[in-house]
Amino acid sequence: MNKIKELLKNVIRNKFENYERNKEPAYMPFHTALLGKDRLALYQFIHSLNTNFGTTIFEPVGVELAKSKFEIAERQVSVDCEIDVEVLKEIDKIIDELNSAVKSPNKREEIERIKDKLFASGNRRKVKLTKVDLFCQKGNNIYMFDIKTAKPNKGSFLEFKRTLLKWCASILTQNPDANVHSIVAIPYNPYYPKPYSRWTMAGVLDIQKELLVGEEFWDFLGGEGSYRKLLQTFEEVGIEMRKEIDNFFKRFI
């Protein structure tokens, strides 16, 4: 966890530098009168941090955790390749079936349908795919994670699903024997201590195979107990940097 500690500290310090260098002037007299300059600065800083928390913190932290368990652990990986047009048609068909509730999500069956069409026509099309947020591989097992915000928009689930299927199609086109998995990962459960509200995704994602939330995601990457250790590490960094953080925001009093 020492590398993760240093990573977190560097992210916060870089944010401090960027906040001062790129801060746009914003005259908010009512907010300032009510909250004070320091609290308003803190709010703006947190908002700035949240906008790219996934790429600056969750992805690199995920890579560090996964290195202990996987042979390959990388972030922002391109899996672009030429895919048979019949595969793309089959993916569109799967999405249409899910959208109209003709079929329920079944990742194993969907993968087999893709495999059946891999070389069906011989007519391939270059497809520009979304980069894989977190790519992990051990032997012939490949895991691709699409890291999402804690409360993703319900209307986006079908596009999430399309991305997951196209990632699998791309990998299987390059290596038909790969044991491929594509998963939506949500870093924490915003409903805690209640269970995550998975029903909103149930008609689109295969919940058992395409979704990992909070503790199950981090423990999958780094092994049992990783989530607990990760929270402890975040807390330790906050304590160790408390004086540094307080001094930064004193400038705005």
Side-chain angles (χ1 to χ4, degrees):
M1 290 289 174
N2 287 335
K3 285 187 178 180
I4 292 176
K5 265 192 173 184
E6 290 308 308
L7 185 155
L8 292 174
K9 289 179 180 180
N10 288 336
V11 167
I12 297 299
R13 287 168 182 148
N14 287 337
K15 275 292 179 183
F16 285 160
E17 293 178 11
N18 291 332
Y19 182 84
E20 287 198 308
R21 186 166 60 245
N22 301 320
K23 183 166 66 72
E24 295 181 2
Y27 182 56
M28 304 172 71
F30 295 102
H31 293 73
T32 304
L34 183 65
L35 301 173
K37 289 182 180 179
D38 57 337
R39 292 186 180 90
L40 183 59
L42 178 60
Y43 160 77
Q44 291 173 333
F45 178 82
I46 292 172
H47 179 72
S48 173
L49 188 64
N50 278 341
T51 56
N52 57 0
F53 211 91
T55 54
T56 60
I57 294 181
F58 290 143
E59 288 178 16
V61 166
V63 167
E64 286 301 321
L65 278 180
K67 283 179 180 178
S68 64
K69 184 176 172 182
F70 294 91
E71 296 160 3
I72 298 173
E74 298 175 349
R75 58 188 290 264
Q76 290 299 306
V77 174
S78 173
V79 293
D80 287 354
C81 82
E82 293 183 346
I83 301 175
D84 196 293
V85 294
E86 291 302 317
V87 171
L88 298 175
K89 290 178 183 178
E90 193 66 22
I91 290 174
D92 287 340
K93 186 177 179 181
I94 291 170
I95 297 298
D96 288 342
E97 291 169 351
L98 295 174
N99 192 32
S100 58
V102 172
K103 284 203 170 187
S104 298
N106 184 320
K107 190 60 170 289
R108 182 177 296 176
E109 177 186 304
E110 292 155 6
I111 291 294
E112 289 304 315
R113 288 171 64 175
I114 289 172
K115 284 183 175 181
D116 287 343
K117 302 290 184 179
L118 283 179
F119 311 105
S121 72
N123 180 17
R124 294 189 180 186
R125 194 173 84 200
K126 181 72 174 179
V127 180
K128 183 68 176 176
L129 301 176
T130 304
K131 287 186 177 180
V132 177
D133 291 335
L134 184 58
F135 182 99
C136 301
Q137 183 173 355
K138 186 174 183 180
N140 205 36
N141 297 302
I142 294 174
Y143 297 86
M144 295 172 287
F145 296 95
D146 190 6
I147 299 177
K148 295 300 182 186
T149 57
K151 294 183 179 181
N153 188 313
K154 183 178 179 181
S156 301
F157 294 155
L158 283 171
E159 288 311 306
F160 297 169
K161 178 74 172 194
R162 192 187 302 274
T163 294
L164 297 183
L165 293 176
K166 284 186 175 181
W167 283 352
C168 290
S170 178
I171 295 298
L172 290 168
T173 297
Q174 300 170 70
N175 179 9
D177 296 323
N179 185 16
V180 65
H181 309 267
S182 54
I183 301 165
V184 169
I186 298 178
Y188 62 92
N189 174 14
Y191 306 106
Y192 182 85
K194 295 180 180 179
Y196 188 80
S197 183
R198 298 165 189 256
W199 64 267
T200 54
M201 302 183 185
V204 178
L205 299 182
D206 185 332
I207 299 300
Q208 299 303 316
K209 295 182 174 65
E210 293 184 306
L211 180 66
L212 289 174
V213 178
E215 184 171 356
E216 58 188 2
F217 170 54
W218 299 110
D219 282 4
F220 177 83
L221 291 181
E224 188 175 351
S226 292
Y227 176 73
R228 178 181 52 79
K229 292 176 184 176
L230 198 56
L231 286 180
Q232 183 179 343
T233 299
F234 271 66
E235 184 178 9
E236 289 172 359
V237 169
I239 293 171
E240 290 172 15
M241 293 191 71
R242 182 159 296 165
K243 188 172 182 181
E244 194 173 336
I245 293 171
D246 288 345
N247 288 338
F248 177 79
F249 287 105
K250 280 179 182 178
R251 306 176 197 180
F252 302 97
I253 296 177

Short mmCIF file of all heavy atoms in Angstrom, two decimals, residues 76-131:
data_model
loop_
_atom_site.label_atom_id
_atom_site.label_comp_id
_atom_site.label_asym_id
_atom_site.label_seq_id
_atom_site.Cartn_x
_atom_site.Cartn_y
_atom_site.Cartn_z
N GLN A 76 -6.32 2.40 -19.35
CA GLN A 76 -6.55 3.11 -20.61
C GLN A 76 -5.93 2.34 -21.79
O GLN A 76 -5.11 2.86 -22.54
CB GLN A 76 -6.02 4.53 -20.53
CG GLN A 76 -6.82 5.45 -19.62
CD GLN A 76 -8.27 5.61 -20.08
OE1 GLN A 76 -8.53 5.98 -21.22
NE2 GLN A 76 -9.22 5.30 -19.20
N VAL A 77 -6.35 1.09 -21.92
CA VAL A 77 -5.81 0.20 -22.96
C VAL A 77 -6.72 0.22 -24.19
O VAL A 77 -7.94 0.06 -24.08
CB VAL A 77 -5.69 -1.24 -22.42
CG1 VAL A 77 -5.28 -2.21 -23.53
CG2 VAL A 77 -4.67 -1.28 -21.29
N SER A 78 -6.12 0.39 -25.37
CA SER A 78 -6.87 0.33 -26.62
C SER A 78 -6.95 -1.11 -27.09
O SER A 78 -5.95 -1.82 -27.13
CB SER A 78 -6.17 1.18 -27.69
OG SER A 78 -6.81 1.00 -28.95
N VAL A 79 -8.17 -1.55 -27.43
CA VAL A 79 -8.36 -2.90 -27.96
C VAL A 79 -8.95 -2.84 -29.36
O VAL A 79 -9.60 -3.78 -29.82
CB VAL A 79 -9.25 -3.76 -27.02
CG1 VAL A 79 -8.55 -4.03 -25.71
CG2 VAL A 79 -10.61 -3.10 -26.79
N ASP A 80 -8.72 -1.73 -30.05
CA ASP A 80 -9.24 -1.55 -31.41
C ASP A 80 -8.75 -2.66 -32.33
O ASP A 80 -7.58 -3.08 -32.26
CB ASP A 80 -8.79 -0.21 -31.98
CG ASP A 80 -9.52 0.96 -31.34
OD1 ASP A 80 -10.44 0.70 -30.55
OD2 ASP A 80 -9.17 2.11 -31.64
N CYS A 81 -9.62 -3.12 -33.19
CA CYS A 81 -9.23 -4.03 -34.26
C CYS A 81 -10.34 -4.08 -35.29
O CYS A 81 -11.40 -3.47 -35.11
CB CYS A 81 -8.90 -5.43 -33.73
SG CYS A 81 -10.34 -6.47 -33.45
N GLU A 82 -10.12 -4.79 -36.39
CA GLU A 82 -11.15 -4.98 -37.40
C GLU A 82 -12.03 -6.16 -36.99
O GLU A 82 -11.54 -7.25 -36.72
CB GLU A 82 -10.52 -5.23 -38.76
CG GLU A 82 -9.78 -4.02 -39.31
CD GLU A 82 -9.23 -4.27 -40.71
OE1 GLU A 82 -9.19 -5.45 -41.14
OE2 GLU A 82 -8.85 -3.29 -41.37
N ILE A 83 -13.34 -5.94 -36.96
CA ILE A 83 -14.30 -6.94 -36.51
C ILE A 83 -15.24 -7.30 -37.66
O ILE A 83 -15.67 -6.43 -38.42
CB ILE A 83 -15.11 -6.42 -35.30
CG1 ILE A 83 -14.16 -6.07 -34.13
CG2 ILE A 83 -16.15 -7.43 -34.85
CD1 ILE A 83 -14.87 -5.43 -32.95
N ASP A 84 -15.55 -8.58 -37.77
CA ASP A 84 -16.45 -9.04 -38.82
C ASP A 84 -17.79 -8.33 -38.71
O ASP A 84 -18.34 -8.17 -37.61
CB ASP A 84 -16.65 -10.56 -38.71
CG ASP A 84 -17.26 -11.16 -39.97
OD1 ASP A 84 -18.43 -10.86 -40.26
OD2 ASP A 84 -16.56 -11.92 -40.65
N VAL A 85 -18.33 -7.89 -39.83
CA VAL A 85 -19.59 -7.13 -39.82
C VAL A 85 -20.73 -7.95 -39.23
O VAL A 85 -21.68 -7.40 -38.66
CB VAL A 85 -19.96 -6.64 -41.23
CG1 VAL A 85 -18.94 -5.60 -41.72
CG2 VAL A 85 -20.08 -7.78 -42.21
N GLU A 86 -20.66 -9.29 -39.37
CA GLU A 86 -21.71 -10.14 -38.82
C GLU A 86 -21.68 -10.14 -37.29
O GLU A 86 -22.72 -10.29 -36.65
CB GLU A 86 -21.58 -11.57 -39.35
CG GLU A 86 -21.89 -11.70 -40.84
CD GLU A 86 -23.29 -11.24 -41.18
OE1 GLU A 86 -24.23 -11.56 -40.42
OE2 GLU A 86 -23.46 -10.53 -42.20
N VAL A 87 -20.49 -9.97 -36.72
CA VAL A 87 -20.39 -9.84 -35.26
C VAL A 87 -21.06 -8.56 -34.80
O VAL A 87 -21.82 -8.54 -33.82
CB VAL A 87 -18.91 -9.85 -34.82
CG1 VAL A 87 -18.79 -9.50 -33.34
CG2 VAL A 87 -18.28 -11.22 -35.07
N LEU A 88 -20.80 -7.47 -35.52
CA LEU A 88 -21.40 -6.19 -35.15
C LEU A 88 -22.92 -6.24 -35.27
O LEU A 88 -23.64 -5.68 -34.42
CB LEU A 88 -20.83 -5.08 -36.05
CG LEU A 88 -19.31 -4.87 -35.94
CD1 LEU A 88 -18.84 -3.84 -36.95
CD2 LEU A 88 -18.93 -4.44 -34.53
N LYS A 89 -23.41 -6.93 -36.29
CA LYS A 89 -24.86 -7.10 -36.43
C LYS A 89 -25.44 -7.92 -35.27
O LYS A 89 -26.53 -7.64 -34.77
CB LYS A 89 -25.19 -7.78 -37.76
CG LYS A 89 -24.95 -6.93 -38.99
CD LYS A 89 -25.27 -7.72 -40.26
CE LYS A 89 -24.98 -6.90 -41.51
NZ LYS A 89 -25.24 -7.69 -42.75
N GLU A 90 -24.69 -8.95 -34.88
CA GLU A 90 -25.15 -9.81 -33.78
C GLU A 90 -25.20 -9.03 -32.47
O GLU A 90 -26.13 -9.19 -31.67
CB GLU A 90 -24.23 -11.02 -33.64
CG GLU A 90 -24.78 -12.12 -32.75
CD GLU A 90 -26.01 -12.80 -33.32
OE1 GLU A 90 -26.22 -12.74 -34.55
OE2 GLU A 90 -26.78 -13.38 -32.52
N ILE A 91 -24.22 -8.17 -32.25
CA ILE A 91 -24.23 -7.33 -31.04
C ILE A 91 -25.43 -6.39 -31.06
O ILE A 91 -26.11 -6.22 -30.03
CB ILE A 91 -22.90 -6.55 -30.92
CG1 ILE A 91 -21.76 -7.52 -30.58
CG2 ILE A 91 -23.01 -5.46 -29.84
CD1 ILE A 91 -20.38 -6.89 -30.58
N ASP A 92 -25.69 -5.79 -32.20
CA ASP A 92 -26.87 -4.92 -32.32
C ASP A 92 -28.16 -5.70 -32.02
O ASP A 92 -29.08 -5.19 -31.36
CB ASP A 92 -26.96 -4.33 -33.72
CG ASP A 92 -25.92 -3.25 -33.97
OD1 ASP A 92 -25.39 -2.70 -32.99
OD2 ASP A 92 -25.63 -2.96 -35.15
N LYS A 93 -28.20 -6.94 -32.48
CA LYS A 93 -29.37 -7.78 -32.24
C LYS A 93 -29.53 -8.09 -30.75
O LYS A 93 -30.64 -8.04 -30.21
CB LYS A 93 -29.23 -9.09 -33.03
CG LYS A 93 -30.46 -9.98 -32.96
CD LYS A 93 -30.27 -11.22 -33.84
CE LYS A 93 -31.49 -12.14 -33.75
NZ LYS A 93 -31.31 -13.36 -34.57
N ILE A 94 -28.42 -8.38 -30.08
CA ILE A 94 -28.46 -8.64 -28.64
C ILE A 94 -28.98 -7.42 -27.89
O ILE A 94 -29.85 -7.54 -27.00
CB ILE A 94 -27.05 -9.02 -28.11
CG1 ILE A 94 -26.64 -10.40 -28.66
CG2 ILE A 94 -27.03 -9.03 -26.58
CD1 ILE A 94 -25.18 -10.74 -28.41
N ILE A 95 -28.48 -6.25 -28.26
CA ILE A 95 -28.92 -5.01 -27.61
C ILE A 95 -30.40 -4.77 -27.84
O ILE A 95 -31.14 -4.40 -26.91
CB ILE A 95 -28.09 -3.81 -28.11
CG1 ILE A 95 -26.61 -3.96 -27.74
CG2 ILE A 95 -28.65 -2.50 -27.56
CD1 ILE A 95 -26.33 -4.01 -26.26
N ASP A 96 -30.86 -5.00 -29.05
CA ASP A 96 -32.29 -4.81 -29.36
C ASP A 96 -33.16 -5.77 -28.54
O ASP A 96 -34.23 -5.38 -28.05
CB ASP A 96 -32.54 -5.05 -30.85
CG ASP A 96 -32.00 -3.92 -31.73
OD1 ASP A 96 -31.73 -2.83 -31.18
OD2 ASP A 96 -31.83 -4.14 -32.94
N GLU A 97 -32.69 -7.00 -28.40
CA GLU A 97 -33.45 -7.99 -27.62
C GLU A 97 -33.54 -7.59 -26.15
O GLU A 97 -34.58 -7.75 -25.52
CB GLU A 97 -32.79 -9.37 -27.76
CG GLU A 97 -32.93 -9.98 -29.15
CD GLU A 97 -32.07 -11.22 -29.34
OE1 GLU A 97 -31.24 -11.51 -28.45
OE2 GLU A 97 -32.25 -11.89 -30.37
N LEU A 98 -32.46 -7.07 -25.62
CA LEU A 98 -32.46 -6.62 -24.23
C LEU A 98 -33.34 -5.39 -24.05
O LEU A 98 -34.09 -5.28 -23.07
CB LEU A 98 -31.03 -6.31 -23.77
CG LEU A 98 -30.06 -7.50 -23.71
CD1 LEU A 98 -28.66 -7.01 -23.37
CD2 LEU A 98 -30.51 -8.53 -22.68
N ASN A 99 -33.26 -4.49 -24.99
CA ASN A 99 -34.02 -3.25 -24.92
C ASN A 99 -35.52 -3.51 -24.96
O ASN A 99 -36.31 -2.82 -24.30
CB ASN A 99 -33.62 -2.32 -26.08
CG ASN A 99 -34.15 -0.92 -25.90
OD1 ASN A 99 -34.29 -0.43 -24.77
ND2 ASN A 99 -34.46 -0.26 -27.01
N SER A 100 -35.92 -4.51 -25.74
CA SER A 100 -37.34 -4.84 -25.87
C SER A 100 -37.77 -5.94 -24.90
O SER A 100 -38.92 -6.38 -24.91
CB SER A 100 -37.65 -5.29 -27.30
OG SER A 100 -36.85 -6.40 -27.67
N ALA A 101 -36.83 -6.38 -24.04
CA ALA A 101 -37.09 -7.42 -23.03
C ALA A 101 -37.51 -8.74 -23.65
O ALA A 101 -38.17 -9.56 -22.99
CB ALA A 101 -38.15 -6.94 -22.04
N VAL A 102 -37.12 -8.98 -24.89
CA VAL A 102 -37.37 -10.27 -25.53
C VAL A 102 -36.52 -11.35 -24.86
O VAL A 102 -36.93 -12.50 -24.73
CB VAL A 102 -37.07 -10.21 -27.05
CG1 VAL A 102 -37.12 -11.59 -27.69
CG2 VAL A 102 -38.03 -9.26 -27.73
N LYS A 103 -35.30 -10.96 -24.45
CA LYS A 103 -34.40 -11.87 -23.76
C LYS A 103 -33.83 -11.21 -22.52
O LYS A 103 -33.73 -9.98 -22.44
CB LYS A 103 -33.26 -12.30 -24.69
CG LYS A 103 -33.66 -13.32 -25.73
CD LYS A 103 -32.44 -14.08 -26.21
CE LYS A 103 -32.84 -15.27 -27.06
NZ LYS A 103 -31.69 -16.13 -27.39
N SER A 104 -33.43 -12.05 -21.58
CA SER A 104 -32.73 -11.56 -20.39
C SER A 104 -31.23 -11.67 -20.64
O SER A 104 -30.78 -12.53 -21.41
CB SER A 104 -33.12 -12.41 -19.17
OG SER A 104 -34.49 -12.30 -18.91
N PRO A 105 -30.44 -10.81 -19.99
CA PRO A 105 -28.98 -10.87 -20.19
C PRO A 105 -28.39 -12.19 -19.74
O PRO A 105 -28.72 -12.69 -18.66
CB PRO A 105 -28.46 -9.70 -19.35
CG PRO A 105 -29.56 -9.38 -18.39
CD PRO A 105 -30.83 -9.74 -19.06
N ASN A 106 -27.55 -12.74 -20.59
CA ASN A 106 -26.85 -13.99 -20.28
C ASN A 106 -25.49 -13.92 -20.97
O ASN A 106 -25.37 -14.19 -22.16
CB ASN A 106 -27.65 -15.19 -20.79
CG ASN A 106 -27.02 -16.52 -20.41
OD1 ASN A 106 -25.79 -16.68 -20.44
ND2 ASN A 106 -27.85 -17.49 -20.05
N LYS A 107 -24.47 -13.54 -20.22
CA LYS A 107 -23.18 -13.24 -20.82
C LYS A 107 -22.57 -14.46 -21.51
O LYS A 107 -21.98 -14.33 -22.59
CB LYS A 107 -22.21 -12.72 -19.74
CG LYS A 107 -20.90 -12.15 -20.28
CD LYS A 107 -21.15 -10.97 -21.23
CE LYS A 107 -19.88 -10.24 -21.60
NZ LYS A 107 -19.30 -9.47 -20.50
N ARG A 108 -22.71 -15.62 -20.92
CA ARG A 108 -22.14 -16.82 -21.53
C ARG A 108 -22.75 -17.08 -22.91
O ARG A 108 -22.04 -17.34 -23.88
CB ARG A 108 -22.36 -18.03 -20.62
CG ARG A 108 -21.75 -19.32 -21.15
CD ARG A 108 -21.93 -20.47 -20.17
NE ARG A 108 -21.22 -20.21 -18.93
CZ ARG A 108 -21.27 -21.01 -17.87
NH1 ARG A 108 -22.00 -22.12 -17.91
NH2 ARG A 108 -20.58 -20.72 -16.78
N GLU A 109 -24.07 -16.98 -22.98
CA GLU A 109 -24.75 -17.18 -24.25
C GLU A 109 -24.37 -16.10 -25.26
O GLU A 109 -24.17 -16.39 -26.45
CB GLU A 109 -26.27 -17.18 -24.03
CG GLU A 109 -27.09 -17.32 -25.30
CD GLU A 109 -28.58 -17.17 -25.03
OE1 GLU A 109 -29.11 -17.91 -24.18
OE2 GLU A 109 -29.20 -16.29 -25.67
N GLU A 110 -24.26 -14.87 -24.80
CA GLU A 110 -23.91 -13.76 -25.69
C GLU A 110 -22.51 -13.92 -26.27
O GLU A 110 -22.28 -13.64 -27.44
CB GLU A 110 -24.05 -12.43 -24.93
CG GLU A 110 -25.48 -12.08 -24.57
CD GLU A 110 -25.61 -11.16 -23.37
OE1 GLU A 110 -24.56 -10.68 -22.86
OE2 GLU A 110 -26.74 -10.92 -22.94
N ILE A 111 -21.57 -14.39 -25.45
CA ILE A 111 -20.21 -14.64 -25.92
C ILE A 111 -20.22 -15.73 -26.99
O ILE A 111 -19.52 -15.62 -28.01
CB ILE A 111 -19.29 -15.04 -24.74
CG1 ILE A 111 -19.06 -13.85 -23.81
CG2 ILE A 111 -17.95 -15.58 -25.26
CD1 ILE A 111 -18.28 -12.71 -24.41
N GLU A 112 -21.01 -16.78 -26.77
CA GLU A 112 -21.09 -17.86 -27.77
C GLU A 112 -21.67 -17.35 -29.08
O GLU A 112 -21.23 -17.75 -30.17
CB GLU A 112 -21.93 -19.01 -27.22
CG GLU A 112 -21.25 -19.79 -26.10
CD GLU A 112 -19.89 -20.33 -26.50
OE1 GLU A 112 -19.76 -20.88 -27.62
OE2 GLU A 112 -18.94 -20.20 -25.70
N ARG A 113 -22.64 -16.48 -29.01
CA ARG A 113 -23.22 -15.90 -30.23
C ARG A 113 -22.19 -15.08 -30.99
O ARG A 113 -22.14 -15.09 -32.22
CB ARG A 113 -24.45 -15.05 -29.86
CG ARG A 113 -25.65 -15.88 -29.43
CD ARG A 113 -26.77 -15.02 -28.88
NE ARG A 113 -27.34 -14.11 -29.88
CZ ARG A 113 -28.41 -13.34 -29.65
NH1 ARG A 113 -29.01 -13.37 -28.46
NH2 ARG A 113 -28.86 -12.54 -30.60
N ILE A 114 -21.36 -14.35 -30.24
CA ILE A 114 -20.29 -13.58 -30.87
C ILE A 114 -19.26 -14.51 -31.51
O ILE A 114 -18.84 -14.30 -32.65
CB ILE A 114 -19.63 -12.64 -29.83
CG1 ILE A 114 -20.58 -11.50 -29.47
CG2 ILE A 114 -18.30 -12.09 -30.37
CD1 ILE A 114 -20.10 -10.64 -28.32
N LYS A 115 -18.89 -15.56 -30.79
CA LYS A 115 -17.90 -16.50 -31.31
C LYS A 115 -18.38 -17.15 -32.61
O LYS A 115 -17.59 -17.37 -33.54
CB LYS A 115 -17.61 -17.59 -30.28
CG LYS A 115 -16.72 -17.15 -29.14
CD LYS A 115 -16.43 -18.33 -28.20
CE LYS A 115 -15.43 -17.95 -27.12
NZ LYS A 115 -15.13 -19.09 -26.22
N ASP A 116 -19.67 -17.45 -32.69
CA ASP A 116 -20.23 -18.09 -33.89
C ASP A 116 -20.12 -17.21 -35.13
O ASP A 116 -20.15 -17.71 -36.25
CB ASP A 116 -21.69 -18.46 -33.66
CG ASP A 116 -21.85 -19.64 -32.71
OD1 ASP A 116 -20.87 -20.36 -32.50
OD2 ASP A 116 -22.97 -19.81 -32.17
N LYS A 117 -19.99 -15.90 -34.91
CA LYS A 117 -19.97 -14.95 -36.04
C LYS A 117 -18.59 -14.36 -36.30
O LYS A 117 -18.44 -13.50 -37.19
CB LYS A 117 -20.96 -13.80 -35.76
CG LYS A 117 -22.40 -14.24 -35.52
CD LYS A 117 -23.05 -14.76 -36.78
CE LYS A 117 -24.52 -15.09 -36.53
NZ LYS A 117 -25.18 -15.59 -37.75
N LEU A 118 -17.58 -14.78 -35.57
CA LEU A 118 -16.27 -14.14 -35.65
C LEU A 118 -15.73 -14.05 -37.07
O LEU A 118 -15.14 -13.04 -37.46
CB LEU A 118 -15.26 -14.89 -34.76
CG LEU A 118 -15.34 -14.64 -33.26
CD1 LEU A 118 -14.30 -15.48 -32.53
CD2 LEU A 118 -15.15 -13.16 -32.93
N PHE A 119 -15.91 -15.10 -37.84
CA PHE A 119 -15.36 -15.12 -39.20
C PHE A 119 -16.45 -15.49 -40.21
O PHE A 119 -16.20 -16.13 -41.22
CB PHE A 119 -14.20 -16.13 -39.27
CG PHE A 119 -13.20 -15.96 -38.15
CD1 PHE A 119 -13.17 -16.85 -37.08
CD2 PHE A 119 -12.32 -14.90 -38.16
CE1 PHE A 119 -12.26 -16.70 -36.05
CE2 PHE A 119 -11.40 -14.72 -37.12
CZ PHE A 119 -11.38 -15.62 -36.07
N ALA A 120 -17.68 -15.07 -39.90
CA ALA A 120 -18.85 -15.49 -40.69
C ALA A 120 -18.84 -14.98 -42.13
O ALA A 120 -19.16 -15.71 -43.06
CB ALA A 120 -20.13 -15.03 -39.99
N SER A 121 -18.44 -13.74 -42.33
CA SER A 121 -18.51 -13.17 -43.68
C SER A 121 -17.15 -12.92 -44.31
O SER A 121 -17.04 -12.82 -45.54
CB SER A 121 -19.30 -11.85 -43.64
OG SER A 121 -18.52 -10.84 -43.02
N GLY A 122 -16.13 -12.77 -43.48
CA GLY A 122 -14.82 -12.40 -44.01
C GLY A 122 -14.72 -10.92 -44.33
O GLY A 122 -13.67 -10.41 -44.74
N ASN A 123 -15.81 -10.22 -44.11
CA ASN A 123 -15.85 -8.78 -44.36
C ASN A 123 -15.70 -8.06 -43.03
O ASN A 123 -16.64 -8.03 -42.22
CB ASN A 123 -17.16 -8.40 -45.04
CG ASN A 123 -17.25 -6.90 -45.32
OD1 ASN A 123 -16.24 -6.19 -45.31
ND2 ASN A 123 -18.45 -6.43 -45.57
N ARG A 124 -14.53 -7.52 -42.79
CA ARG A 124 -14.26 -6.87 -41.51
C ARG A 124 -14.32 -5.36 -41.62
O ARG A 124 -14.03 -4.78 -42.66
CB ARG A 124 -12.90 -7.30 -40.98
CG ARG A 124 -12.82 -8.77 -40.61
CD ARG A 124 -11.52 -9.06 -39.89
NE ARG A 124 -11.40 -10.45 -39.50
CZ ARG A 124 -10.43 -10.94 -38.76
NH1 ARG A 124 -9.47 -10.13 -38.32
NH2 ARG A 124 -10.39 -12.21 -38.44
N ARG A 125 -14.68 -4.77 -40.48
CA ARG A 125 -14.77 -3.32 -40.43
C ARG A 125 -13.96 -2.81 -39.25
O ARG A 125 -14.03 -3.36 -38.15
CB ARG A 125 -16.23 -2.89 -40.29
CG ARG A 125 -16.46 -1.41 -40.58
CD ARG A 125 -17.93 -1.09 -40.59
NE ARG A 125 -18.43 -0.85 -39.25
CZ ARG A 125 -19.72 -0.92 -38.91
NH1 ARG A 125 -20.60 -1.28 -39.79
NH2 ARG A 125 -20.08 -0.66 -37.68
N LYS A 126 -13.19 -1.77 -39.50
CA LYS A 126 -12.41 -1.15 -38.42
C LYS A 126 -13.36 -0.42 -37.49
O LYS A 126 -14.15 0.43 -37.93
CB LYS A 126 -11.39 -0.17 -39.01
CG LYS A 126 -10.49 0.50 -37.98
CD LYS A 126 -9.49 -0.47 -37.39
CE LYS A 126 -8.51 0.23 -36.46
NZ LYS A 126 -7.54 -0.71 -35.85
N VAL A 127 -13.30 -0.76 -36.23
CA VAL A 127 -14.20 -0.15 -35.25
C VAL A 127 -13.37 0.59 -34.20
O VAL A 127 -12.42 0.04 -33.64
CB VAL A 127 -15.06 -1.23 -34.56
CG1 VAL A 127 -15.99 -0.60 -33.54
CG2 VAL A 127 -15.85 -2.01 -35.60
N LYS A 128 -13.75 1.82 -33.96
CA LYS A 128 -13.09 2.62 -32.92
C LYS A 128 -13.80 2.36 -31.60
O LYS A 128 -14.97 2.70 -31.43
CB LYS A 128 -13.16 4.11 -33.27
CG LYS A 128 -12.44 5.01 -32.28
CD LYS A 128 -10.93 4.81 -32.33
CE LYS A 128 -10.22 5.80 -31.41
NZ LYS A 128 -8.77 5.56 -31.38
N LEU A 129 -13.10 1.73 -30.68
CA LEU A 129 -13.70 1.34 -29.42
C LEU A 129 -13.26 2.25 -28.28
O LEU A 129 -12.16 2.80 -28.30
CB LEU A 129 -13.32 -0.10 -29.08
CG LEU A 129 -13.73 -1.17 -30.10
CD1 LEU A 129 -13.19 -2.53 -29.68
CD2 LEU A 129 -15.23 -1.23 -30.26
N THR A 130 -14.12 2.36 -27.28
CA THR A 130 -13.75 3.06 -26.05
C THR A 130 -12.58 2.33 -25.40
O THR A 130 -12.56 1.10 -25.37
CB THR A 130 -14.95 3.06 -25.07
OG1 THR A 130 -16.08 3.64 -25.71
CG2 THR A 130 -14.61 3.83 -23.81
N LYS A 131 -11.62 3.08 -24.90
CA LYS A 131 -10.48 2.45 -24.23
C LYS A 131 -10.94 1.74 -22.97
O LYS A 131 -11.86 2.18 -22.28
CB LYS A 131 -9.40 3.47 -23.90
CG LYS A 131 -8.62 3.95 -25.11
CD LYS A 131 -7.47 4.85 -24.70
CE LYS A 131 -6.65 5.26 -25.91
NZ LYS A 131 -5.51 6.14 -25.53
#
